[in-house]
Amino acid sequence: MMRRPSLLTALLSLAFVTQPALAHEAGHGGGGVVQRLSQPLQPGLDEGVLLVVTLAPGEASPAHRHQAHAFVYMLEGEVLMQVAGGPERRLKPGDVFEEKPDDIHTQARNLSSTAPARFAVFMVKKRGVPVVLPAH
């Protein structure tokens, strides 16, 4: 029986294969891959989760944490994001935001009163730990 590669192995393989293309940014003669963020991970994190979050017009999430490395990629709309002790960040489509396992996510608010905002969140976390935890 053949074992499936781990998520980390698959991501590392993808990074290795696409590395030459990283110098070729999208929009310059066709396709390409653009690296937007790279972050070392803490040992013991063994599960990848991909979420798509939609905030209704004017909606804000309560303060929370993830106990994970969380990587946000804005898809549509405009959102104000912040972690405790960090600056407020106004995110638009194509922008990225990162949370570390010990961060408290104090703010995620849709800045539009008429349109939803959507973003993808890729998390690397410990298996069995909930995706969202209380802020305390």
Side-chain angles (χ1 to χ4, degrees):
M1 175 186 273
M2 200 169 168
R3 278 186 59 185
R4 292 180 55 190
S6 71
L7 177 63
L8 181 58
T9 301
L11 289 173
L12 289 173
S13 298
L14 179 62
F16 178 75
V17 169
T18 60
Q19 190 65 32
L22 291 176
H24 176 77
E25 295 208 358
H28 297 297
V33 175
V34 178
Q35 181 174 319
R36 298 294 309 272
L37 181 66
S38 176
Q39 176 68 42
L41 303 179
Q42 292 179 0
L45 301 177
D46 59 3
E47 180 180 35
V49 176
L50 180 61
L51 308 169
V52 175
V53 177
T54 302
L55 294 177
E59 182 179 5
S61 70
H64 61 276
R65 62 189 176 94
H66 299 290
Q67 201 169 337
H69 281 280
F71 304 95
V72 173
Y73 183 81
M74 281 299 299
L75 299 170
E76 66 180 278
E78 194 170 353
V79 172
L80 194 63
M81 294 267 192
Q82 185 176 26
V83 296
E88 286 186 340
R89 295 265 323 274
R90 193 177 196 118
L91 302 180
K92 296 178 181 176
D95 288 343
V96 295
F97 184 78
E98 183 233 347
E99 296 175 54
K100 294 180 174 54
D102 295 328
D103 283 344
I104 302 293
H105 193 167
T106 56
Q107 186 165 203
R109 182 169 44 98
N110 182 350
L111 294 173
S112 173
S113 61
T114 60
R118 285 187 333 119
F119 50 91
V121 182
F122 176 67
M123 291 182 191
V124 180
K125 65 181 209 52
K126 184 152 183 71
R127 189 173 307 157
V129 174
V131 173
V132 177
L133 298 162
H136 59 302

